[in-house]
Amino acid sequence: QVQLVESGGGSVQAGGSLRLSCVISGGSYSGRVCLGWFRQEPGKEREGVAAIDSDGTRSYANFVQGRFTISKADAGNTLYLQMDNLQPADTAMYYCAAQSQQFIMPYAGRCPGTVDYWGQGTQVAVSS
């Protein structure tokens, strides 16, 4: 069973930065894996923020606008999301996700297909 554990959330003022981490442990994918970050505000649907596949192909949601950077450790067991110039609209619970990589590259800030595993989430709050 694959487990994803996020950390790094917190409260910052507008313009500040946070770095989210997601440690991936347990189990293994027989094929390649696509990793991503999602976020969700209360009462709203979960939306893709950024994704990266086994080839290193990255995709970001339009609202990121160059402010966030997704990366992963060389061993592939830790996923990161560097978030700069945070704005109040970025306030949400952020989730790490893992799924089998499809033939289609990540797009619109997420991996194509269905998420196999979710983390428990880490809260990000940005004040004006």
Side-chain angles (χ1 to χ4, degrees), residues 3-7 19-25 33 35-37 52 58 70-81 96-97:
Q3 292 185 324
L4 310 175
V5 179
E6 302 98 332
S7 63
R19 189 191 195 204
L20 306 184
S21 298
C22 173
V23 176
I24 305 161
S25 62
V33 61
L35 304 172
W37 289 97
I52 184 169
R58 295 170 170 82
I70 189 171
S71 61
K72 57 183 178 179
D74 290 340
N77 59 346
T78 306
L79 181 70
Y80 304 101
L81 185 67
C96 174

Side-chain angles (χ1 to χ4, degrees), residues 56-78:
T57 301
R58 295 170 170 82
S59 175
Y60 297 94
N62 287 338
F63 59 77
V64 169
Q65 296 183 332
R67 301 178 297 131
F68 299 173
T69 302
I70 189 171
S71 61
K72 57 183 178 179
D74 290 340
N77 59 346
T78 306

Side-chain angles (χ1 to χ4, degrees), residues 39-122:
R39 70 184 189 184
Q40 187 171 24
E41 299 175 64
K44 294 187 177 181
E45 291 189 358
R46 195 169 295 189
E47 61 182 353
V49 177
I52 184 169
D53 67 12
S54 293
D55 298 317
T57 301
R58 295 170 170 82
S59 175
Y60 297 94
N62 287 338
F63 59 77
V64 169
Q65 296 183 332
R67 301 178 297 131
F68 299 173
T69 302
I70 189 171
S71 61
K72 57 183 178 179
D74 290 340
N77 59 346
T78 306
L79 181 70
Y80 304 101
L81 185 67
Q82 176 66 40
M83 303 188 295
D84 298 317
N85 192 21
L86 283 161
Q87 300 301 314
D90 296 316
T91 296
M93 184 73 78
Y94 283 72
Y95 297 90
C96 174
Q99 62 191 85
S100 295
Q101 182 168 322
Q102 305 299 309
F103 293 108
I104 303 172
M105 294 185 296
Y107 62 92
R110 64 164 298 164
C111 304
T114 304
V115 172
D116 296 323
Y117 300 101
W118 293 98
Q120 83 289 349
T122 184

